[in-house]
Amino acid sequence: MAVDTPAEAHGAHGAREALAALAEERVDHRFKGLPPDADGLTVGELAAQRRNLFTGGFTTPVLSLSAERLKHNLRLMEEYAARHGLAFAPHGKTSMAPQLFHRQIEHGAWGITLAVPHQVRVARAFGVQRVFLANELVDAAALKWVAAELDADPSFRFVCYADSVRGVELMDAALRGAGAGRPVDVVVELAAGEGARTGVRTEEECAAVADAVAAAGTLRLAGVAGYEGEVPRADPERVRAWLRRLTALAAAFDAAGRFAGTGLEEIVVSAGGSAWFDAVADVFAEIPVLSLPVLKLLRSGAYVSHDDGHYRELTPFNRVPEEGALEPAFRLWTQVVSRPCARQAFANAGKRDAAYDLDLPEAQVVRRGDAERPATGIAVTALSDQHAWLGTDPEADLEVGDWLGLGLSHPCTSFDKWELIPVAEADGTVVDYVRTFF
């Protein structure tokens, strides 16, 4: 049995204290959708009351997470990563919810992936010990803070991208100025192709960035990484071709001795959004034996809540159904406030409440009193700031006052609209609340 080091034990204790403090936060007007008569209660006290989402005083609109589906998705990805020999650092920017970070870690995650310094600070405040920053970090103030975190906690593992010689020079200068004691681990980011997002465009340029890292005493080359979701005109063949470029780059760096003498214990090879992680699993399985063990790090994050739009169609589980199936865990409950004609209605949730950057919400169920039925003949056609525009067939049974349950697309922009999200069981019993930090 592994024994925690004193630093790790201290970190775990601090994480428990920070998470426990979330339950002591007072419920008030800051948290939309929560019962007005709960003002003054702590979050823990409200959770202990196990109120019903539909009869317990919650106001519309209110976003809820399915307790059962959340548990299913966590378990499914844990099993998937283990089955394919992958380490897993899910992208936490999807939820920015420390409670979910720790549930993911409890379900086998190596650590958490993040995108910007603020998000790393949130993770560290809640005791996350391994962070993969999927971005080049050139902010001097942030690098000074990272250096202090690394020096204060020997068990803290931090990895970030490098995608330019200029970026490496800026990182080195900032870390030298901060008097950094531990080197910062960096992975060279290979771009997904011409016209893609960030990353080095050619293998020759990747080598130049790696040389710059080697020359900087404040940095250590830890491996290679990228994001296959940015492959232009992505399809299985193009995605796998780019992934093979990535793994070949790692092998070439190793053959050139770039990881020798660095004190590195493993070579990081990382990719994986939520649309092509089956391709990542297939190609990473082909990585040859290198001079050090390879940390095959998958970073898919949207699986936690999944969705009812964008990822429903793109998920690898659709392509390989024997692997299982993710379940959409979000539902946004809104109320019909206007029914001006037979073909139109309006509900009181809009862009402030629902993800709308990829697909419009999907009308799924109608509740009237205690009865729930499919939202037949009802579709969301547009969103205003605080209204959902509903197109209704003439025969659609919809009245002012009805509650309408909406499925949401793109979880990355659903969590950021709600600071405290009820977690409800299938019968509506609210058993927990998830705090977000965007």
Coordinates of all heavy atoms in Angstrom, one line a residue, residues 25-79:
E25 N -20.9 27.7 3.3 CA -21.2 29.0 2.7 C -22.7 29.2 2.8 O -23.6 28.3 2.8 CB -20.9 28.9 1.2 CG -20.9 30.3 0.5 CD -20.2 30.3 -0.9 OE1 -19.9 29.2 -1.4 OE2 -20.0 31.3 -1.4
R26 N -23.1 30.5 3.1 CA -24.5 30.8 3.3 C -25.3 31.0 2.0 O -24.7 31.5 1.0 CB -24.6 32.1 4.1 CG -24.1 32.0 5.5 CD -25.0 31.2 6.4 NE -24.4 31.0 7.7 CZ -24.9 30.3 8.7 NH1 -26.1 29.7 8.5 NH2 -24.3 30.1 9.8
V27 N -26.5 30.5 1.9 CA -27.3 30.6 0.8 C -28.0 32.0 0.8 O -28.5 32.4 1.8 CB -28.4 29.5 0.8 CG1 -29.4 29.7 -0.4 CG2 -27.7 28.1 0.7
D28 N -27.9 32.7 -0.3 CA -28.6 34.0 -0.4 C -28.9 34.3 -1.8 O -28.9 33.5 -2.7 CB -27.8 35.1 0.3 CG -26.4 35.2 -0.3 OD1 -26.2 34.9 -1.4 OD2 -25.5 35.7 0.5
H29 N -29.1 35.6 -2.1 CA -29.5 36.1 -3.4 C -28.4 35.9 -4.5 O -28.7 36.0 -5.7 CB -29.8 37.6 -3.4 CG -28.6 38.4 -2.9 ND1 -28.2 38.6 -1.6 CD2 -27.6 39.0 -3.7 CE1 -27.1 39.3 -1.6 NE2 -26.7 39.6 -2.8
R30 N -27.2 35.5 -4.1 CA -26.1 35.3 -5.1 C -26.4 34.1 -6.0 O -25.9 34.0 -7.1 CB -24.8 35.2 -4.5 CG -24.3 36.4 -3.8 CD -23.0 36.1 -2.9 NE -23.4 35.1 -1.9 CZ -22.5 34.3 -1.3 NH1 -21.2 34.4 -1.6 NH2 -22.8 33.5 -0.3
F31 N -27.1 33.2 -5.5 CA -27.3 31.9 -6.2 C -28.7 31.7 -6.8 O -29.7 31.5 -6.0 CB -27.0 30.7 -5.2 CG -25.7 30.9 -4.5 CD1 -25.6 31.0 -3.1 CD2 -24.5 31.0 -5.2 CE1 -24.3 31.1 -2.5 CE2 -23.3 31.1 -4.6 CZ -23.2 31.2 -3.3
K32 N -28.8 31.9 -8.1 CA -30.1 31.9 -8.7 C -30.7 30.5 -8.7 O -30.1 29.5 -8.8 CB -30.0 32.5 -10.1 CG -29.0 31.7 -11.1 CD -28.9 32.4 -12.4 CE -28.0 31.7 -13.4 NZ -27.9 32.4 -14.7
G33 N -32.0 30.6 -8.6 CA -32.8 29.3 -8.7 C -33.1 28.7 -7.3 O -34.0 27.9 -7.2
L34 N -32.3 29.0 -6.3 CA -32.4 28.4 -5.0 C -33.6 29.0 -4.3 O -34.1 30.1 -4.5 CB -31.2 28.5 -4.2 CG -29.9 27.9 -4.8 CD1 -28.8 27.9 -3.7 CD2 -30.1 26.5 -5.3
P35 N -34.2 28.2 -3.3 CA -35.4 28.6 -2.6 C -35.2 29.9 -1.8 O -34.3 30.0 -1.0 CB -35.7 27.5 -1.7 CG -35.1 26.3 -2.3 CD -33.8 26.8 -2.9
P36 N -36.0 30.9 -2.0 CA -35.9 32.2 -1.3 C -36.0 32.0 0.2 O -35.3 32.7 1.0 CB -37.0 33.1 -1.8 CG -37.3 32.5 -3.2 CD -37.1 31.1 -3.1
D37 N -36.7 31.0 0.7 CA -36.9 30.8 2.1 C -35.7 30.0 2.7 O -35.7 29.7 3.9 CB -38.2 30.0 2.4 CG -38.3 28.6 1.9 OD1 -37.3 28.2 1.2 OD2 -39.3 27.9 2.2
A38 N -34.7 29.7 1.8 CA -33.5 29.0 2.3 C -32.4 30.1 2.7 O -31.3 29.7 3.2 CB -32.9 28.1 1.3
D39 N -32.7 31.4 2.4 CA -31.7 32.4 2.7 C -31.2 32.3 4.2 O -32.0 32.2 5.1 CB -32.3 33.8 2.5 CG -32.2 34.2 1.1 OD1 -31.9 33.3 0.2 OD2 -32.5 35.4 0.8
G40 N -29.9 32.3 4.4 CA -29.3 32.2 5.7 C -28.9 30.8 6.1 O -28.1 30.7 7.0
L41 N -29.5 29.8 5.5 CA -29.0 28.4 5.7 C -27.6 28.3 5.1 O -27.3 29.0 4.1 CB -29.9 27.4 5.1 CG -31.4 27.3 5.6 CD1 -32.2 26.3 4.8 CD2 -31.4 26.9 7.1
T42 N -26.8 27.4 5.6 CA -25.6 27.0 4.9 C -26.0 26.0 3.8 O -27.1 25.4 3.8 CB -24.6 26.3 5.9 OG1 -25.1 25.0 6.3 CG2 -24.3 27.2 7.1
V43 N -25.1 25.9 2.9 CA -25.3 24.9 1.8 C -25.5 23.5 2.3 O -26.3 22.8 1.9 CB -24.1 25.0 0.8 CG1 -24.3 23.9 -0.3 CG2 -24.1 26.4 0.1
G44 N -24.7 23.2 3.3 CA -24.8 21.9 4.0 C -26.2 21.7 4.6 O -26.7 20.6 4.5
E45 N -26.6 22.7 5.3 CA -28.0 22.6 5.9 C -29.1 22.4 4.9 O -30.0 21.6 5.1 CB -28.2 23.8 6.8 CG -27.4 23.9 8.1 CD -27.4 25.2 8.8 OE1 -27.8 26.2 8.1 OE2 -27.0 25.3 9.9
L46 N -29.0 23.2 3.8 CA -30.0 23.0 2.8 C -29.9 21.7 2.1 O -31.0 21.0 1.9 CB -29.8 24.1 1.7 CG -30.7 24.1 0.5 CD1 -32.2 24.3 1.0 CD2 -30.4 25.3 -0.5
A47 N -28.7 21.2 1.9 CA -28.6 19.8 1.3 C -29.2 18.8 2.2 O -29.9 17.8 1.8 CB -27.1 19.5 1.0
A48 N -29.0 18.9 3.5 CA -29.5 18.0 4.5 C -31.0 17.9 4.5 O -31.6 16.9 4.9 CB -29.0 18.3 5.9
Q49 N -31.7 19.0 4.1 CA -33.1 19.0 4.1 C -33.7 18.2 2.9 O -34.9 17.9 2.9 CB -33.6 20.5 3.9 CG -33.4 21.3 5.1 CD -34.0 22.7 5.0 OE1 -34.5 23.1 3.9 NE2 -33.9 23.5 6.0
R50 N -32.9 17.9 1.9 CA -33.3 17.0 0.8 C -34.6 17.5 0.2 O -35.5 16.7 0.0 CB -33.4 15.5 1.3 CG -32.0 15.0 1.7 CD -32.2 13.5 2.2 NE -32.6 12.6 1.1 CZ -31.8 12.0 0.3 NH1 -30.5 12.2 0.4 NH2 -32.3 11.2 -0.6
R51 N -34.6 18.8 -0.1 CA -35.8 19.3 -0.7 C -36.0 18.7 -2.1 O -35.1 18.3 -2.8 CB -35.7 20.8 -0.8 CG -35.6 21.5 0.5 CD -35.9 23.0 0.4 NE -35.7 23.8 1.6 CZ -36.2 25.0 1.8 NH1 -36.9 25.6 0.8 NH2 -35.9 25.6 2.9
N52 N -37.3 18.8 -2.6 CA -37.6 18.4 -3.9 C -37.4 19.5 -4.9 O -37.9 20.7 -4.6 CB -39.0 17.8 -4.0 CG -39.3 17.2 -5.3 OD1 -39.6 17.9 -6.3 ND2 -39.2 15.9 -5.4
L53 N -36.8 19.3 -6.0 CA -36.6 20.3 -7.0 C -37.8 21.0 -7.5 O -37.9 22.2 -7.8 CB -35.8 19.7 -8.2 CG -35.3 20.7 -9.2 CD1 -34.1 21.6 -8.7 CD2 -34.8 20.0 -10.5
F54 N -38.9 20.3 -7.5 CA -40.2 20.8 -8.1 C -41.2 21.3 -7.0 O -42.0 22.1 -7.4 CB -40.9 19.7 -8.9 CG -39.9 19.0 -9.9 CD1 -39.5 17.7 -9.7 CD2 -39.4 19.8 -11.0 CE1 -38.6 17.1 -10.6 CE2 -38.6 19.2 -11.9 CZ -38.2 17.9 -11.7
T55 N -41.1 20.9 -5.8 CA -42.0 21.3 -4.8 C -41.3 21.9 -3.6 O -42.0 22.3 -2.6 CB -42.8 20.1 -4.3 OG1 -41.9 19.1 -3.7 CG2 -43.6 19.4 -5.4
G56 N -40.0 22.1 -3.6 CA -39.3 22.5 -2.4 C -38.9 24.0 -2.4 O -38.1 24.4 -1.6
G57 N -39.6 24.8 -3.3 CA -39.4 26.2 -3.2 C -38.4 26.8 -4.2 O -38.1 28.0 -4.2
F58 N -37.8 25.9 -5.1 CA -36.9 26.4 -6.1 C -37.6 27.3 -7.1 O -38.8 27.0 -7.4 CB -36.2 25.2 -6.8 CG -35.3 24.4 -5.9 CD1 -35.7 23.4 -5.1 CD2 -33.9 24.7 -5.9 CE1 -34.9 22.7 -4.2 CE2 -33.0 24.0 -5.1 CZ -33.5 23.0 -4.2
T59 N -36.9 28.3 -7.6 CA -37.5 29.2 -8.5 C -36.9 29.0 -9.9 O -35.8 28.5 -10.1 CB -37.3 30.7 -8.1 OG1 -35.9 31.0 -8.2 CG2 -37.9 30.9 -6.7
T60 N -37.7 29.3 -10.9 CA -37.2 29.1 -12.3 C -36.6 30.4 -12.8 O -37.1 31.5 -12.4 CB -38.4 28.7 -13.2 OG1 -39.4 29.7 -13.1 CG2 -38.9 27.3 -12.8
P61 N -35.6 30.3 -13.7 CA -35.0 29.0 -14.2 C -34.1 28.5 -13.1 O -33.5 29.2 -12.3 CB -34.3 29.5 -15.4 CG -33.9 30.9 -15.2 CD -35.0 31.5 -14.4
V62 N -33.9 27.1 -13.2 CA -33.0 26.5 -12.3 C -32.3 25.3 -13.0 O -33.0 24.5 -13.7 CB -33.7 26.0 -11.0 CG1 -34.8 25.0 -11.3 CG2 -32.7 25.4 -10.0
L63 N -31.0 25.3 -12.9 CA -30.2 24.2 -13.6 C -30.0 23.1 -12.6 O -29.7 23.3 -11.4 CB -28.9 24.7 -14.1 CG -28.0 23.7 -14.8 CD1 -28.5 23.3 -16.1 CD2 -26.5 24.3 -14.9
S64 N -30.1 21.8 -13.0 CA -29.9 20.7 -12.1 C -29.0 19.7 -12.8 O -28.9 19.6 -14.0 CB -31.2 20.0 -11.7 OG -31.8 19.4 -12.8
L65 N -28.2 19.0 -12.0 CA -27.4 17.8 -12.4 C -28.0 16.6 -11.9 O -28.5 16.5 -10.8 CB -26.0 18.0 -11.9 CG -24.9 18.7 -12.7 CD1 -23.7 18.9 -11.8 CD2 -24.6 17.9 -13.9
S66 N -28.1 15.6 -12.8 CA -28.6 14.3 -12.4 C -27.6 13.5 -11.5 O -26.5 13.3 -12.0 CB -29.0 13.4 -13.6 OG -29.1 12.1 -13.3
A67 N -27.9 13.2 -10.3 CA -27.0 12.4 -9.4 C -26.6 11.1 -10.0 O -25.5 10.7 -10.0 CB -27.7 12.2 -8.1
E68 N -27.6 10.4 -10.6 CA -27.4 9.1 -11.1 C -26.5 9.1 -12.4 O -25.6 8.3 -12.6 CB -28.7 8.4 -11.4 CG -29.6 8.1 -10.2 CD -30.5 9.2 -9.9 OE1 -30.4 10.3 -10.5 OE2 -31.4 9.0 -9.0
R69 N -26.8 10.1 -13.3 CA -26.0 10.2 -14.5 C -24.6 10.7 -14.3 O -23.7 10.2 -15.0 CB -26.8 11.0 -15.5 CG -28.1 10.4 -16.0 CD -28.8 11.2 -17.0 NE -30.0 10.4 -17.5 CZ -30.6 10.7 -18.6 NH1 -30.2 11.7 -19.4 NH2 -31.6 9.9 -19.1
L70 N -24.5 11.6 -13.4 CA -23.1 12.0 -13.0 C -22.3 10.9 -12.5 O -21.1 10.7 -13.0 CB -23.2 13.1 -11.9 CG -22.0 13.8 -11.5 CD1 -21.2 14.5 -12.6 CD2 -22.3 14.8 -10.3
K71 N -22.8 10.1 -11.6 CA -22.1 8.9 -11.1 C -21.8 7.9 -12.2 O -20.7 7.4 -12.3 CB -23.0 8.2 -10.0 CG -22.3 7.0 -9.4 CD -23.2 6.4 -8.3 CE -22.6 5.2 -7.7 NZ -23.5 4.6 -6.7
H72 N -22.7 7.7 -13.1 CA -22.5 6.8 -14.3 C -21.4 7.3 -15.1 O -20.5 6.5 -15.5 CB -23.8 6.7 -15.1 CG -23.6 6.0 -16.4 ND1 -23.5 4.7 -16.6 CD2 -23.4 6.6 -17.7 CE1 -23.3 4.4 -17.9 NE2 -23.2 5.5 -18.6
N73 N -21.3 8.6 -15.5 CA -20.3 9.1 -16.4 C -18.9 9.0 -15.8 O -18.0 8.7 -16.4 CB -20.7 10.5 -16.8 CG -21.9 10.6 -17.7 OD1 -22.3 9.6 -18.2 ND2 -22.5 11.8 -17.8
L74 N -18.8 9.3 -14.5 CA -17.6 9.2 -13.8 C -17.0 7.8 -13.8 O -15.8 7.6 -14.1 CB -17.7 9.7 -12.3 CG -17.9 11.2 -12.1 CD1 -18.4 11.5 -10.7 CD2 -16.6 12.0 -12.4
R75 N -17.9 6.9 -13.5 CA -17.4 5.5 -13.5 C -17.1 5.0 -14.9 O -16.1 4.3 -15.1 CB -18.5 4.6 -12.9 CG -18.1 3.1 -12.8 CD -19.2 2.3 -12.1 NE -20.4 2.3 -12.9 CZ -21.6 2.9 -12.5 NH1 -21.6 3.6 -11.4 NH2 -22.6 2.8 -13.3
L76 N -17.8 5.4 -15.9 CA -17.6 4.9 -17.3 C -16.2 5.4 -17.8 O -15.5 4.6 -18.4 CB -18.7 5.4 -18.2 CG -18.6 5.0 -19.7 CD1 -18.9 3.5 -19.8 CD2 -19.6 5.7 -20.5
M77 N -15.9 6.6 -17.6 CA -14.6 7.1 -18.1 C -13.4 6.6 -17.3 O -12.3 6.3 -17.8 CB -14.6 8.6 -18.1 CG -15.3 9.2 -19.3 SD -14.7 8.7 -20.9 CE -13.1 9.5 -21.0
E78 N -13.6 6.3 -16.0 CA -12.6 5.7 -15.2 C -12.3 4.3 -15.8 O -11.1 3.9 -15.9 CB -13.1 5.5 -13.7 CG -12.1 4.7 -12.8 CD -12.7 4.5 -11.5 OE1 -13.9 4.6 -11.3 OE2 -11.8 4.2 -10.6
E79 N -13.3 3.5 -16.1 CA -13.2 2.2 -16.6 C -12.5 2.2 -18.0 O -11.7 1.4 -18.4 CB -14.5 1.5 -16.6 CG -15.0 1.2 -15.2 CD -16.5 0.7 -15.3 OE1 -17.1 0.7 -16.4 OE2 -17.0 0.3 -14.2

